[in-house]
């Protein structure tokens, strides 16, 4: 199986290089990996003690960040390395303020490349987030006696570990991972059923992060003026389905204030054509009409969404109407905002739990979702809106301090 795995990695590497000729996002990842070795060589001495966090993409980075921040606080003499597999994670984080000494792409999981990369510094602690496992990397780290952890681990039934050919992968995790910190009891039980007993249930670290969002300054210029005394619906990380919901909602209740923050800024031009009455956020100060005259505001900049939720009466979070994955519903729920989303979210157990608290609702089609938004924002249904708002906040409040439990184990 090890031979087959290495063949797979070679084919994956070759395939991504070929695909990069036709796909800009893949090209960023392929080209970015050419810089990874140079980045660590430039920033680190071979004797530097390093804490290394790996995240597949942006969502996993946000899950691991609370733990990374606390480790940096507890171990200030250690340097910080963050690696990504996906350009969507790297491109977002590299542009923001961060605590890492180096942010780069994870090299392709070939033995020689991994060994060369790791030999540039002294890794003391490594953790990956959720379920992004690269087996040559784990083996090389373990050969150097590095402590290896999985933060917010999530196992589910149709993973390869639970198939007839999954035993080799399980054996690698048994040998190389020191501890799994599981998000859920179900994940813990599934891991235990295949012999991964070095684990505990600590919950989802994203709850720790979103609780902190309430304590910062969430003011976004012009938004209070835009909303006024109207009900506001924020469409966060919207895709085509959520944009369709926004159109239905606007058509049936033009007195609502709608804020749309697309998952990709490339959609902004399409949104402007779709909603000719909308105002781009970047044009607020140069608009001939006052912002209060516009029913729809399109957010054409990044980094504002989690603050925008604090202005919402209802949030519609994107990604749940297709297999790309549901975006972050916790950033809205933490402000006591009921969340509406599509029902295709098998890798998001927090969605089921939010629904069980009656702080969120999921739907199989856009029309039903739109009707739910219209119902909640109808003044006649104020009691239902208030109840769901309280439930959404309670859902976040009742979660344990996952980061503290993880730190206690790692530093013990």
């Amino acid at each position: 199986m090890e031979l087959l795995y290495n063949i797979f990695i070679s084919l994956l590497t070759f395939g991504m290089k070929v695909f990069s000729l036709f796909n800009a996002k893949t090209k960023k990842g392929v080209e970015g990996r050419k810089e990874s070795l140079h980045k660590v060589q430039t920033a680190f001495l071979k004797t530097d003690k390093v804490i290394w966090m790996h995240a597949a993409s942006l969502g996993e980075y946000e899950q691991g960040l609370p733990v990374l921040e606390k480790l940096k606080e507890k171990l200030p003499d250690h340097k910080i390395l963050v690696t990504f597999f996906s350009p969507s994670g790297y491109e977002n984080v590299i542009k923001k303020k961060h605590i890492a000494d180096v942010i780069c792409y994870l090299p392709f999981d070939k033995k020689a490349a991994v060994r060369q990369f790791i030999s540039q510094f002294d890794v003391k602690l490594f953790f990956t987030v959720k379920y992004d496992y690269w087996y040559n990397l784990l083996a090389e780290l373990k050969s150097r006696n590095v402590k290896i952890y999985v933060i917010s681990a999530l196992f589910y039934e149709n993973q390869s570990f639970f198939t007839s050919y999954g035993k080799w992968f399980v054996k690698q995790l048994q040998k190389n991972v020191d501890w799994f910190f599981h998000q859920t009891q179900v994940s813990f039980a599934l891991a235990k059923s295949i012999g991964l007993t070095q684990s505990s249930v600590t919950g989802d670290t994203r709850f720790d992060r979103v609780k902190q969002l309430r304590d910062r300054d969430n003011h976004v210029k012009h938004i209070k003026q835009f909303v006024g005394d109207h009900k506001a619906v924020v469409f966060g990380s919207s895709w085509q389905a959520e944009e369709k919901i926004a159109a239905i909602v606007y058509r049936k209740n033009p007195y609502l204030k709608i804020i749309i923050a697309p998952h990709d800024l490339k959609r902004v031009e399409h949104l402007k054509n779709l909603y000719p009455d909308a105002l781009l956020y970047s044009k607020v100060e140069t608009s001939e009409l006052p912002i209060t005259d516009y029913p729809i505001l399109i957010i054409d900049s990044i980094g504002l969404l989690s603050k925008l939720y604090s202005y919402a009466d209802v949030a519609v979070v994107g990604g749940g109407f297709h297999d790309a994955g549901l975006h972050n519903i916790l950033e809205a729920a933490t402000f006591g905002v009921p969340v509406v989303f599509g029902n295709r979210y098998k890798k998001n157990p927090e969605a089921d739990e939010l629904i069980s608290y009656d702080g969120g609702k999921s739907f199989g089609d856009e029309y039903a979702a739109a009707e739910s938004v219209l119902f909640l924002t109808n003044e006649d249904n104020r009691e239902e809106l208030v109840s769901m708002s309280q439930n959404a906040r309670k859902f976040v409040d009742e979660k344990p301090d996952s980061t503290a439990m993880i730190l206690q184990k790692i530093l013990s």
Side-chain angles (χ1 to χ4, degrees), residues 142-158:
K142 182 53 64 176
S143 73
R144 296 168 184 260
N145 297 315
V146 176
K147 288 290 186 181
I148 300 173
Y149 301 97
V150 182
I151 304 297
S152 291
L154 188 62
F155 286 79
Y156 50 94
E157 290 181 349
N158 59 346

Side-chain angles (χ1 to χ4, degrees), residues 13 16-18 20-21 26-42 84-85 90 102-108 113 116-117:
T13 304
M16 287 184 66
K17 289 179 178 178
V18 172
S20 71
L21 300 174
T26 305
K27 184 176 182 179
K28 287 180 179 179
V30 170
E31 294 299 315
R33 280 173 170 81
K34 295 177 181 178
E35 302 174 5
S36 296
L37 181 62
H38 176 70
K39 282 189 172 186
V40 294
Q41 287 175 329
T42 302
F84 288 97
F85 182 81
Y90 175 85
V102 176
I103 294 178
C104 65
Y105 287 96
L106 184 72
F108 289 116
Q116 183 183 25
F117 185 78

Side-chain angles (χ1 to χ4, degrees), residues 146-393:
V146 176
K147 288 290 186 181
I148 300 173
Y149 301 97
V150 182
I151 304 297
S152 291
L154 188 62
F155 286 79
Y156 50 94
E157 290 181 349
N158 59 346
Q159 283 173 310
S160 60
F161 309 117
F162 305 99
T163 63
S164 58
Y165 60 84
K167 291 182 180 180
W168 182 83
F169 300 105
V170 173
K171 186 176 180 181
Q172 302 312 301
L173 297 181
Q174 286 174 326
K175 287 193 306 182
N176 297 323
V177 176
D178 291 278
W179 203 260
F180 294 89
F181 298 99
H182 290 275
Q183 288 189 47
T184 68
Q185 190 68 42
V186 171
S187 176
F188 172 80
L190 284 170
K192 188 176 180 180
S193 73
I194 53 175
L196 298 175
T197 56
Q198 68 277 35
S199 59
S200 57
V201 180
T202 51
D204 189 339
T205 50
R206 287 179 300 172
F207 286 96
D208 301 336
R209 191 184 74 83
V210 297
K211 288 176 185 177
Q212 295 170 357
L213 298 183
R214 304 168 184 168
D215 300 325
R216 70 179 180 184
D217 179 8
N218 286 294
H219 172 75
V220 180
K221 193 175 182 181
H222 306 301
I223 301 301
K224 185 176 180 180
Q225 183 184 4
F226 170 72
V227 173
D229 57 0
H230 297 262
K231 289 282 195 304
V233 183
V234 173
F235 289 77
S237 303
S238 66
W239 294 65
Q240 186 175 358
E242 291 76 32
E243 292 157 11
K244 184 177 179 179
I245 296 169
I248 298 169
V249 169
Y250 172 54
R251 187 172 65 249
K252 293 192 173 185
N253 187 351
Y255 298 102
L256 289 174
K257 292 291 186 172
I258 292 175
I259 300 172
I260 304 176
H263 82 280
D264 188 338
L265 293 184
K266 292 177 182 178
R267 296 195 64 78
V268 168
E269 194 60 37
H270 167 74
L271 288 170
K272 193 70 179 83
N273 293 328
L274 188 62
Y275 310 109
D277 296 333
L279 175 66
L280 295 179
Y281 184 71
S282 63
K283 303 297 184 182
V284 170
E285 296 184 1
T286 58
S287 172
E288 293 182 2
L289 297 175
I291 191 173
T292 51
D293 285 7
Y294 291 91
I296 300 174
L297 187 65
I298 298 170
I299 307 300
D300 54 345
S301 58
I302 62 173
L304 297 178
L305 180 57
S306 63
K307 291 185 177 182
L308 290 170
Y309 285 131
S310 69
Y311 293 89
D313 292 285
V314 176
V316 180
V317 175
F321 286 96
H322 51 65
D323 293 329
L326 179 63
H327 291 274
N328 194 328
I329 61 174
L330 304 183
E331 290 180 338
T334 194
F335 292 109
V337 178
V339 189
V340 173
F341 46 92
N343 64 0
R344 295 166 71 174
Y345 54 82
K346 63 183 179 180
K347 296 180 182 179
N348 300 84
E350 72 277 7
D352 280 325
E353 196 171 0
L354 179 61
I355 291 170
S356 72
Y357 268 74
D358 195 27
K361 293 182 183 295
S362 71
F363 298 91
D365 68 84
E366 298 93 330
Y367 293 98
E371 287 302 320
S372 179
V373 173
L374 290 163
F375 175 84
L376 289 171
T377 51
N378 188 315
E379 193 60 36
D380 292 340
N381 303 314
R382 179 172 174 76
E383 287 187 10
E384 179 71 15
L385 177 63
V386 170
S387 175
M388 286 192 69
S389 297
Q390 292 171 343
N391 292 337
R393 187 177 178 101

